[in-house]
Amino acid sequence: MNFVSEALNLSKFSTERLEERGILRIAFVKHPFFSDVVDAVRIEKKFGIYEEGTVIVKGKDRLRVFRGFPKIKRILYLESGLKKHFGSTKIALEEKMNGYNVRIGKIGDEIYAITRRGLICPYTTEKAREKIPKDFFEEYPEHMLCCEALGKASPYVPDYYGIEGLEFFLFDIRESKTNKALSIHEKEEIAERYDLRMVNILLKTSAEDIENIKRVLEELNDKSREGVVFKDLEMNLPPLKYTTSFSNCGDLSYAFKNFEEYGRDFMLARIVREAFQTFEFQDNIDNRAYRLGKAILDSAVESIKKVKEGKEVTEELNLTFSSEEVLELFKMHLKLLGITFREIERKKRNDKIEAKFERVMRATTDKIKSLLEGNPW
Ligand code: ATP
Ligand code: MG
């Protein structure tokens, strides 16, 4: 762990303490596919300036620190929330896309993809090597591309966009060691020049322009999109986020399908968001009530039905790999994450390998079973 002390400028004693307290964890599965990485640890819980998900890498050429992607605060009431935070500063409304957070950087000779909690993911890395031009890192060796990864072949989040495979949508470019973000203007210029897909910028305005801001959110909701991240154009202030009713209800639907796997807090927060939005947008409360009720009941009833028919509540994953090697490595990676999937099918198609995984929602299945047998809650 000497490389951690050196990279973070900590005494050997402090590093040992962090290790003992379980804050430093292994960040990857050792494998030839990760041949540029000699060692890598991640920070499990924010400490000092270092965000959760920060990764410290002993690369074959040099030490690297990839800071965790900062938490984005949410506002529930737009009118006062935006003014209070941004004042009269110019802001951009960026589309908030619903996938999973990936930081892409170059270690040694290759591209690596790190997920939110700070693990180097083999599957995402394989896709990033196919999609991200390496020459960006020749110009910006100290930077990382912060992207939302999404599509039908996403292992972690279902697809809402009808996108084949897995795509990366750039939303921030940050210096990996300091987490300092480039301005929105610089980001747009780079995305254009390197032909990187970027999240949509829906509007540039200021907090007073509340009517137009609300209109953008209504349009997003009509298109079944997740929401918006508000950022000042210079990227000096922390951003804020806000989600559509579609997203709040979608989360609730998912949470009630698997109600024992999802915490009470998760559900309550989304219902309260919906209440504030109903109040602020002043639209038809009956429609909203119906939509919210449907989201909760339909999915929960579907799970009850499934268990009654003797089946289990499950999630299915369809992934495409370019080699058996990465597929096997990904399975080890899931074990490291503590997620239990079983592989139920493997097919060769063209030169790719298609695999179907199934995750059983054990807690929800058992709970429903017990309740259907007449046991008390
Ligand atoms: P947080 O990231 O704020 O800690 P969380 O993990 O619950 O919270 P979300 O509610 O999904 O995450 O919101 C933040 C995430 O949104 C970011 O981590 C990022 O992955 C994703 N995101 C999608 N689009 C954007 C965008 N345009 N700008 C910034 N983040 C975006
Ligand atoms: Mg998200």
Side-chain angles (χ1 to χ4, degrees):
M1 290 289 166
N2 277 339
F3 74 100
V4 178
S5 307
E6 195 185 330
L8 303 185
N9 241 328
L10 292 174
S11 68
K12 233 181 118 189
F13 175 75
S14 309
T15 311
E16 275 163 14
R17 281 283 295 137
L18 284 176
E19 220 188 325
E20 277 161 23
R21 284 163 59 204
I23 294 177
L24 287 182
R25 303 262 176 107
I26 185 87
F28 75 128
V29 177
K30 259 203 175 78
H31 190 279
F33 187 63
F34 296 144
S35 61
D36 305 270
V37 181
V38 180
D39 206 349
V41 294
R42 65 191 170 96
I43 292 176
E44 166 86 359
K45 222 173 77 197
K46 186 176 166 75
F47 96 95
I49 59 165
Y50 298 103
E51 302 81 1
E52 176 186 337
T54 296
V55 186
I56 304 109
V57 180
K58 183 178 179 180
K60 67 177 186 188
D61 54 343
R62 59 182 176 130
L63 294 178
R64 295 295 303 276
V65 178
F66 295 93
R67 294 278 291 273
F69 190 77
K71 278 206 162 314
I72 302 178
K73 291 216 168 104
R74 175 187 300 274
I75 47 169
L76 265 62
Y77 195 58
L78 290 167
E79 182 160 354
S80 53
L82 290 174
K83 279 188 203 140
K84 190 165 195 165
H85 186 75
F86 291 112
S88 54
T89 317
K90 275 268 202 189
I91 56 173
L93 275 62
E94 274 187 15
E95 181 172 351
K96 180 178 193 304
M97 298 189 86
N98 189 2
Y100 63 99
N101 183 302
V102 178
R103 284 163 282 152
I104 300 171
K106 192 164 161 247
I107 302 171
D109 303 319
E110 271 301 344
I111 283 178
Y112 287 82
I114 301 166
T115 52
R116 191 69 204 267
R117 285 165 54 208
L119 284 121
I120 304 176
C121 171
Y123 182 79
T124 316
T125 296
E126 181 188 59
K127 303 294 175 282
R129 288 179 187 173
E130 291 164 10
K131 302 259 152 109
I132 302 293
K134 244 193 214 172
D135 45 354
F136 164 80
F137 296 103
E138 307 301 323
E139 190 180 344
Y140 292 95
E142 306 304 327
H143 284 70
M144 56 187 181
L145 299 168
C146 304
C147 303
E148 198 73 355
L150 52 95
K152 290 183 189 162
S154 163
Y156 307 119
V157 181
D159 169 55
Y160 296 96
Y161 302 89
I163 287 177
E164 294 301 328
L166 189 74
E167 290 290 341
F168 298 94
F169 289 86
L170 177 70
F171 53 75
D172 279 352
I173 303 176
R174 291 172 179 263
E175 194 187 10
S176 76
K177 187 163 183 178
T178 60
N179 233 344
K180 175 93 186 89
L182 298 186
S183 73
I184 298 218
H185 177 73
E186 288 169 292
K187 171 177 72 178
E188 288 179 294
E189 185 274 320
I190 290 168
E192 170 89 36
R193 197 149 50 82
Y194 287 99
D195 203 17
L196 298 164
R197 288 180 91 157
M198 200 178 85
V199 297
N200 290 320
I201 295 185
L202 303 159
L203 184 67
K204 287 179 181 165
T205 185
S206 63
E208 291 96 69
D209 190 16
I210 196 74
E211 288 314 311
N212 281 318
I213 292 171
K214 279 174 153 179
R215 193 171 43 76
V216 165
L217 277 153
E218 276 164 349
E219 283 167 11
L220 281 177
N221 188 55
D222 293 342
K223 288 197 281 190
S224 307
R225 296 299 179 92
E226 189 188 22
V228 161
V229 180
F230 300 96
K231 301 177 177 174
D232 79 289
L233 297 186
E234 297 307 320
M235 293 293 286
N236 291 325
L237 298 167
L240 291 178
K241 64 189 178 189
Y242 187 89
T243 48
T244 59
S245 175
F246 169 81
S247 159
N248 300 337
C249 290
D251 281 0
L252 283 168
S253 169
Y254 185 78
F256 275 83
K257 171 176 180 262
N258 311 308
F259 61 85
E260 279 289 302
E261 266 80 11
Y262 282 85
R264 307 289 183 264
D265 293 352
F266 181 93
M267 300 180 189
L268 180 66
R270 279 147 186 86
I271 295 169
V272 172
R273 285 176 203 168
E274 218 21 42
F276 271 83
Q277 193 171 93
T278 306
F279 174 72
E280 185 164 21
F281 281 69
Q282 297 271 314
D283 48 19
N284 189 305
I285 194 163
D286 290 339
N287 289 344
R288 290 237 182 206
Y290 182 75
R291 192 158 69 216
L292 181 71
K294 278 291 262 188
I296 290 173
L297 273 184
D298 276 359
S299 56
V301 172
E302 196 188 310
S303 292
I304 299 171
K305 247 192 207 149
K306 254 189 123 176
V307 176
K308 182 74 185 169
E309 289 164 3
K311 296 178 202 143
E312 292 168 312
V313 180
T314 56
E315 290 291 316
E316 210 172 80
L317 273 185
N318 291 292
L319 304 182
T320 307
F321 296 85
S322 41
S323 73
E324 300 265 352
E325 190 193 17
V326 178
L327 199 166
E328 291 304 331
L329 176 59
F330 182 65
K331 284 164 78 171
M332 291 190 257
H333 177 75
L334 288 179
K335 269 205 196 117
L336 186 69
L337 282 176
I339 303 178
T340 41
F341 278 97
R342 50 179 187 236
E343 191 185 336
I344 52 174
E345 205 179 286
R346 192 186 289 204
K347 271 193 307 212
K348 276 223 165 85
R349 189 195 295 229
N350 304 325
D351 55 347
K352 302 272 182 202
I353 299 144
E354 294 179 353
K356 199 190 279 292
F357 291 90
E358 189 179 67
R359 178 181 181 189
V360 177
M361 299 308 204
R362 189 76 282 146
T364 301
T365 304
D366 290 350
K367 184 77 177 179
I368 294 177
K369 202 161 167 240
S370 156
L371 291 168
L372 285 173
E373 281 164 1
N375 296 308
W377 175 278

